[in-house]
Amino acid sequence: MADLPKQANVIVIGGGVIGCSIAYHLAKLGWSDVVLLERQQLTSGTTWHAAGLVGQLRTSINMTKLAKYTSELYRGLEEETGQATGYRQCGSISIATNTERFEELKRSASMAKVFDLEVNVVDVDEIVERYPLINSSDVLGGIHIPSDGYANAVDISQALAKGARSNGAQIFQNTLVTKILHDGARVTGVSTASGDIAADYVVICGGMWSRDLAASVGVNLPLHACEHYYALFESVEGLDPALPVLRDYDACTYYKYDAGKLLVGAFEPSAKPWGMDGIANDFCFDEIAGDFDHFEPVLHDAMERIPALQDAGIQKFFCGPESFTPDVRYHLGEAPELKNCFVSAGLNSIGLQSAGGIGKVMAEWMRDGYPPVDLWEVDVRRNMRFQGNRKYLRTRVSESLGLLYATHWPYRQYETARGVRRSAIHDRVAARGACHGEAFGWERPNWYAPEGVEPKYEYSYGRQNWFEYSAAEHRATREAVALYDQSSFAKFRLEGRDAMAALNQVCANDVDVAPGRLVYTQWLNDRGGIEADLTVTRLDENAYLIVTAAETQTRDFAWLKKHIPADSHCVLTDVTSSMGVISLMGPKSRHLLQSLTPADMSHAAFPFATSQEIELGFGYVRASRITFVGELGWELYIPTEFMLGIYDEIVAAGDQFGLVHAGYHALNSLRMEKGYRHWSHDITDEDTPLEAGLGFAVKFDKPGGFTGREALLEQKTAGPPKRLLQFQLRDPEPLLYHNEPIWRDGEIVGHITSGAYGHTLGACIGLGYVHLSEEVTSEDVLDGDYEIEVAGVRVSADASLKPLYDPGNKKIRC
C-alpha cells in the first residue's frame, strides 16, 4: 500500500458509491488534495449488493432534481472515464391497484412538469404493451418514466473513483479510520493504523458504520441497519432485456432485468433491524442469513403479479444489511456539533440512485460554505438528540424501510417509537378526544374527535375522516375562542450585556426595543436567504426569549450559537423543556383571559406584539399577544410544573365563552387563509424576505446593519426574481397539499409550496412562488389566468399578494 499523506484538504471516510461520488465531485471542482479512506475495499459494505435501480421521481422537487442529475451523470460516466458502468436507460413503470395510489402517481406526474422530467400517465393497455409479463387484472393504470433505468453499483463506484483519481484525488483501501481528530470546535484530521492525516475537512460517509463513528466525536447521526431482501429468478419465460423496471408499490415490490434473470426486491412494511450490538469492521462483501419465511409473502405476491415466476427457479435468495433513518430521509451537510465535519449517510437503500446528486451538492456545499439549493429535508441539523438513542432507532427503522413504497398519504403519522416527548397536559387533551400526531418526537394534538368517535386517522387523498371536525375547530377560532397545546415550540434564552448587540446582527428586524416588546423577524444568510423565521421577546435590558418551531430546534440553536461573536458577553440556553405553551385564539380570548387574571387585558393596556408576565391560576405565566391564525389571541408560556393546574382553570372557565379545543390541522388551515408563511415550505434558505412578501419585517436602516443586508439591498434595486402569491381555487372540491404546478396563461410559472382547505373562504388555499420574467413582471404578476394542476387536471384560481382573509389586520389588532 502506498504511504499515506500527512496532510489533505478533505478526507472522505468510506468507499461506497456515496464516498466515491463526493471525491469525484470535489476533484472535478479542482480540489485535488482529496483523500478517500476505505476500511476494506471499495463498495464492500452495502454498495456491492445494491439492486442497481436508477429512478428519478421523489416526493419533493429538489430531491427529484438531484436524482435527475444522477441519471444524467451516469449516462456519460462510461465515456468520460473508460470504466464500464452497466448503465441501461430502459425506463420504468409504476403501477397502481387502487384509486388512492393512482392519485398519488398522477400528482407526482404533475409535479415532474415543474422541472421538465418526462413522466407519462399510462393506462392498462400501455402497461401490458410495455411489460407483457405482467398480470394486469387488478391494475388501474400507472406512470411511465422513459429516462429511468438501472446500472451496476460496483461499476458506477469504480468509474467515479477512476474519475476522482484522474483529477488528483487519492484513494486508499484497507485503511481503517480509528479516530476523527478535532480541537473541540472543528475537525483537524483522522487517525489510522498507518498514521495520522491532518485535514481541513472530514466527510463521514461510512454507511451503517457512520452512526458510531460520528458519535465518537459527539456528532448525532441517527441511522440503523435493517435486513434487506431480494431474489433472483432464472429461466423466466418471456424475459426480455428491453423490459423497463417495474414497481408495484401496493405489493411493496420491484422487478428488474439482471443479466438474463429477473430480480425481485421488496420494501416490506415491517422490516427486521440488524446489527443492534454493533457491526464488525471486517464485514466485507458479506451476506447475512436472512429469514425466508419473512420474505415468502412477498414472493407469493410476486408470482401473482408475474405468473411466469411460478415456473421459474430461484437462483439466489439474498439478504444484506442497509442503513435506514428515522424519517426515511438521508443525512447531509455540516454537523452542527463540529465545524467542517460533514456527513453523508443513511441512504435508505436508494444510495445508487442518489449518489450523483449528493456528490454534487456536498462538494459545492464544502466549496461555498452553504448548500447550493434548499436541502432542509435531508439536512443533518434537523435531527434531535434523542433520535440517536439505540432503542428508538431499532423501533423506528422497522417502519422506515417499508415507507419507501408505502402510499405517501397527506398527514400520514408514524406508528412506531411514539410517545417520546409529551407536553404536561398530554393526558388531559387526550381525554378530550385529541388525535395526536408525531412531530420531531412530540405528541401534538392534530385534531379532536367528538364524543363517541375514535380519534384515529383514515387516510385518503380526498377529505379525510377528520376534515369536518377540524373545520369546526377552525370556525370556533374565527368566531369564539380555541385552545391549542403548542408546548412543542422550541424556546431559547439569550442573556448578558452583549445579548442585544449579538442578536440584532443576526435578526433582519430590529430587536433593540423596550422590554416587553415582541418582534417577528427572520435570520438571513449572506445571500439574503431565510435561515429562520421566529419571534424574539425582550424580557429586560439584557435578556431575550427566542421562540421558533419544533422542527428547527437543533438548527436554529446552532445557527445563533455559531453567529455570536467569540468575545460577546452573553449566554445562549435551550429552555424548551422548562415551559409548556397554551395558546388561546379567537375574538373571545380576551374575555376568557380577563375572567382569570387581575391583569388588564384590554387593547390599550396590552397591545399587539407585546408580552407581559401575568397572574393566572395559582401561578405566573408569560402572556404574549401574537397569532399564527389571524385572530386576537395570546400564547401563554407556563412553567412546566404549573401547566396542569392552569390548564384546568382555563377549561373550567371556558364553557361560558364557547371554548373549543383545536389542533394543528386547524392551525394550518387558519394560517393558510391569512397567508402566514411556514419555514421549510413557503420560505427557505433559497428565498428572501422581499420575494416572500416579508419586507415589512426588515429594518434596513437599523444601526450596525444585519447579516444579509447587502444582498437584500441589491435585490431591492434589481427587483426580486420571483414573488410569493396566495391562491384560492375557484372550484371548492379539489385539495392542495404542495408541489402542484402553477400555470399562468398556459405556461408553468412556479409551484405550490403549501396548501390547505380554507373553511372560512370556502375553497382550497395555496401559497406558491411565481417566477418573474419579461412576460411576468412584478407590476402585472396578478394579471392573466391562473390555474393550479391537481393530479393532471388544471383548476382555475384567483391570485393575491395580500392576505385573502382580513387583509387589513383588523382582527388581530382589536
Side-chain angles (χ1 to χ4, degrees):
M1 183 181 73
D3 292 338
L4 294 179
K6 298 296 184 184
Q7 173 74 41
N9 190 7
V10 183
I11 295 174
V12 178
I13 303 173
V17 68
I18 300 298
C20 290
S21 180
I22 292 172
Y24 168 87
H25 283 88
L26 284 169
K28 291 283 279 188
L29 288 180
W31 286 32
S32 58
D33 195 11
V34 174
V35 172
L36 185 151
L37 303 177
E38 162 56 41
R39 64 185 176 88
Q40 296 285 340
Q41 298 177 48
L42 296 183
T43 76
S44 63
T46 295
T47 298
W48 74 273
H49 62 73
L53 305 185
V54 183
Q56 299 166 85
L57 196 57
R58 299 285 191 274
T59 57
S60 71
I61 285 175
N62 276 351
M63 292 301 102
T64 304
K65 286 180 179 178
L66 296 191
K68 184 182 179 187
Y69 167 80
T70 298
S71 179
E72 294 166 351
L73 172 69
Y74 291 172
R75 284 203 289 272
L77 197 56
E78 183 169 337
E79 181 179 354
E80 176 191 341
T81 65
Q83 166 71 46
T85 61
Y87 182 79
R88 184 178 180 86
Q89 191 174 326
C90 60
S92 74
I93 292 176
S94 298
I95 62 172
T97 59
N98 59 71
T99 56
E100 296 289 354
R101 177 70 75 176
F102 205 11
E103 170 91 356
E104 177 184 358
L105 293 179
K106 287 187 285 189
R107 283 177 176 267
S108 296
S110 291
M111 178 188 73
K113 295 176 184 178
V114 175
F115 43 87
D116 296 324
L117 174 64
E118 184 181 353
V119 180
N120 302 309
V121 178
V122 292
D123 59 21
V124 177
D125 289 342
E126 184 170 349
I127 291 171
V128 173
E129 180 182 351
R130 292 184 179 276
Y131 208 97
L133 297 180
I134 193 172
N135 170 10
S136 63
S137 60
D138 60 342
V139 176
L140 302 182
I143 57 174
H144 174 237
I145 307 177
S147 56
D148 274 357
Y150 59 82
N152 184 297
V154 172
D155 290 343
I156 289 284
S157 302
Q158 294 291 353
L160 291 167
K162 187 174 181 180
R165 289 190 187 99
S166 68
N167 284 284
Q170 299 180 76
I171 297 177
F172 297 90
Q173 302 184 77
N174 300 303
T175 305
L176 175 67
V177 172
T178 58
K179 188 176 183 180
I180 296 175
L181 305 175
H182 62 93
D183 62 8
R186 63 188 301 152
V187 294
T188 57
V190 302
S191 291
T192 76
S194 302
D196 295 351
I197 308 175
D200 299 316
Y201 297 85
V202 171
V203 189
I204 302 173
C205 39
M208 53 194 172
W209 289 270
S210 296
R211 178 199 175 279
D212 289 345
L213 181 60
S216 70
V217 288
V219 170
N220 184 32
L221 193 55
L223 54 84
H224 199 293
C226 285
E227 295 179 2
H228 188 49
Y229 296 85
Y230 60 74
L232 277 172
F233 284 82
E234 60 184 355
S235 304
V236 179
E237 186 177 350
L239 187 62
D240 187 333
L243 284 174
V245 172
L246 177 67
R247 293 180 177 87
D248 183 359
Y249 291 117
D250 297 321
C252 312
T253 51
Y254 59 88
Y255 304 83
K256 183 203 102 174
Y257 177 86
D258 193 291
K261 304 170 187 66
L262 188 65
L263 185 149
V264 180
F267 292 96
E268 65 275 20
S270 182
K272 300 185 72 173
W274 181 84
M276 286 76 76
D277 299 322
I279 304 169
N281 284 320
D282 60 359
F283 189 90
C284 177
F285 295 113
D286 289 328
E287 301 179 32
I288 53 181
D291 180 352
F292 189 83
D293 290 341
H294 177 75
F295 195 61
E296 188 174 18
V298 172
L299 293 179
H300 179 270
D301 291 344
M303 291 177 183
E304 292 291 322
R305 179 63 61 212
I306 310 293
L309 295 181
Q310 297 172 18
D311 299 318
I314 296 181
Q315 190 225 30
K316 176 74 173 176
F317 170 67
F318 178 84
C319 180
E322 305 225 15
S323 60
F324 290 83
T325 64
D327 55 9
V328 211
R329 307 195 311 249
Y330 32 76
H331 300 314
L332 299 184
E334 185 178 18
E337 301 91 346
L338 196 59
K339 185 172 176 57
N340 286 359
C341 180
F342 280 76
V343 300
S344 182
L347 273 297
N348 301 291
S349 198
I350 54 173
L352 178 67
Q353 53 193 307
S354 306
I358 287 175
K360 181 178 186 292
V361 298
M362 287 287 288
E364 293 174 356
W365 197 333
M366 284 184 276
R367 178 195 64 187
D368 301 332
Y370 55 86
V373 294
D374 170 34
L375 294 173
W376 171 240
E377 64 185 286
V378 292
D379 194 318
V380 70
R381 291 174 293 173
R382 75 186 184 279
N383 294 309
M384 305 295 168
R385 179 62 181 158
F386 76 88
Q387 292 177 306
N389 175 283
R390 286 176 172 84
K391 181 179 180 181
Y392 170 84
L393 286 170
R394 279 199 309 273
T395 304
R396 172 54 65 82
V397 297
S398 65
E399 179 182 9
S400 297
L401 181 147
L403 292 179
L404 283 168
Y405 274 22
T407 303
H408 297 93
W409 299 115
Y411 310 105
R412 187 198 181 279
Q413 303 300 318
Y414 291 104
E415 298 174 1
T416 56
R418 293 293 298 266
V420 178
R421 306 169 83 184
R422 300 183 182 186
S423 81
I425 59 172
H426 173 274
D427 292 349
R428 290 283 205 279
V429 297
R432 291 266 171 176
C435 183
H436 283 93
E438 187 267 352
F440 330 108
W442 284 100
E443 295 292 320
R444 305 199 304 191
N446 280 345
W447 55 279
Y448 286 81
E451 188 174 350
V453 174
E454 184 181 7
K456 182 178 180 181
Y457 279 90
E458 296 174 11
Y459 296 118
S460 167
Y461 270 94
R463 287 159 172 73
Q464 296 185 9
N465 63 315
W466 49 265
F467 184 86
E468 291 299 336
Y469 308 141
S470 185
E473 298 165 19
H474 178 116
R475 287 189 285 269
T477 308
R478 291 272 185 254
E479 298 166 7
V481 57
L483 181 151
Y484 294 85
D485 179 5
Q486 293 189 276
S487 299
S488 63
F489 276 148
K491 316 163 197 81
F492 316 139
R493 282 181 70 106
L494 185 66
E495 302 175 80
R497 64 171 180 256
D498 295 330
M500 187 281 293
L503 193 55
N504 222 18
Q505 183 62 37
V506 174
C507 295
N509 211 336
D510 192 352
V511 298
D512 187 8
V513 293
R517 291 293 301 178
L518 186 150
V519 179
Y520 170 60
T521 188
Q522 287 77 47
W523 295 349
L524 309 181
N525 53 44
D526 290 335
R527 301 160 327 275
I530 300 171
E531 294 285 348
D533 180 71
L534 41 76
T535 62
V536 174
T537 302
R538 194 167 198 173
L539 304 177
D540 59 41
E541 191 68 20
N542 296 318
Y544 287 87
L545 175 66
I546 299 154
V547 179
T548 187
E551 177 183 13
T552 55
Q553 181 176 349
T554 301
R555 176 195 176 107
D556 293 349
F557 189 87
W559 181 268
L560 182 54
K561 184 177 179 180
K562 178 180 178 180
H563 287 83
I564 295 173
D567 58 353
S568 285
H569 190 280
C570 55
V571 176
L572 179 65
T573 309
D574 188 327
V575 295
T576 301
S577 298
S578 68
M579 289 182 285
V581 180
I582 294 174
S583 294
L584 295 176
M585 297 289 157
K588 295 184 180 180
S589 58
R590 174 180 286 123
H591 302 300
L592 172 54
L593 275 173
Q594 192 64 79
S595 73
L596 296 170
T597 180
D600 186 351
M601 305 302 290
S602 68
H603 179 66
F606 207 140
F608 181 73
T610 62
S611 181
Q612 300 177 26
E613 192 174 76
I614 65 172
E615 294 181 35
L616 196 61
F618 291 125
Y620 292 87
V621 307
R622 174 157 294 280
S624 296
R625 189 175 164 193
I626 193 69
T627 179
F628 198 53
V629 301
E631 300 292 341
L632 172 70
W634 279 265
E635 293 171 355
L636 307 177
Y637 293 82
I638 307 168
T640 303
E641 68 271 30
F642 287 92
M643 277 282 284
L644 285 170
I646 289 174
Y647 167 84
D648 290 342
E649 292 258 1
I650 293 171
V651 172
D655 286 345
Q656 61 181 309
F657 301 102
L659 178 68
V660 167
H661 284 65
Y664 273 80
H665 292 338
L667 194 77
N668 189 45
S669 60
L670 290 156
R671 73 99 183 171
M672 286 300 307
E673 289 189 329
K674 186 61 178 168
Y676 287 148
R677 282 65 166 149
H678 179 260
W679 194 91
S680 82
H681 286 103
D682 312 308
I683 47 178
T684 71
D685 58 6
E686 286 190 88
D687 311 309
T688 72
L690 302 182
E691 296 163 347
L694 298 174
F696 66 88
V698 178
K699 293 296 182 286
F700 284 102
D701 57 351
K702 69 174 178 176
F706 56 90
T707 301
R709 178 178 181 272
E710 289 70 25
L712 284 191
L713 286 173
E714 289 181 13
Q715 188 177 84
K716 190 176 182 181
T717 300
K722 60 184 180 181
R723 290 297 305 272
L724 187 68
L725 302 185
Q726 189 181 22
F727 297 92
Q728 179 173 339
L729 299 185
R730 293 177 181 170
D731 183 343
E733 291 305 312
L735 298 181
L736 300 177
Y737 298 113
H738 57 86
N739 292 335
E740 294 89 354
I742 300 170
W743 294 77
R744 180 184 187 267
D745 295 337
E747 300 288 336
I748 292 178
V749 292
H751 68 273
I752 294 296
T753 53
S754 62
Y757 197 87
H759 300 288
T760 306
L761 298 176
C764 230
I765 310 299
L767 291 171
Y769 288 95
V770 170
H771 294 278
L772 305 180
S773 62
E774 292 182 2
E775 292 75 26
V776 186
T777 66
S778 291
E779 289 71 28
D780 64 6
V781 69
L782 296 180
D783 298 339
D785 293 323
Y786 277 102
E787 299 169 301
I788 312 298
E789 182 173 334
V790 182
V793 178
R794 296 192 213 170
V795 183
S796 295
D798 295 316
S800 178
L801 283 166
K802 296 180 179 179
L804 292 169
Y805 178 80
D806 187 27
N809 290 328
K810 295 179 181 178
K811 300 280 188 179
I812 65 175
R813 297 180 183 275
C814 59

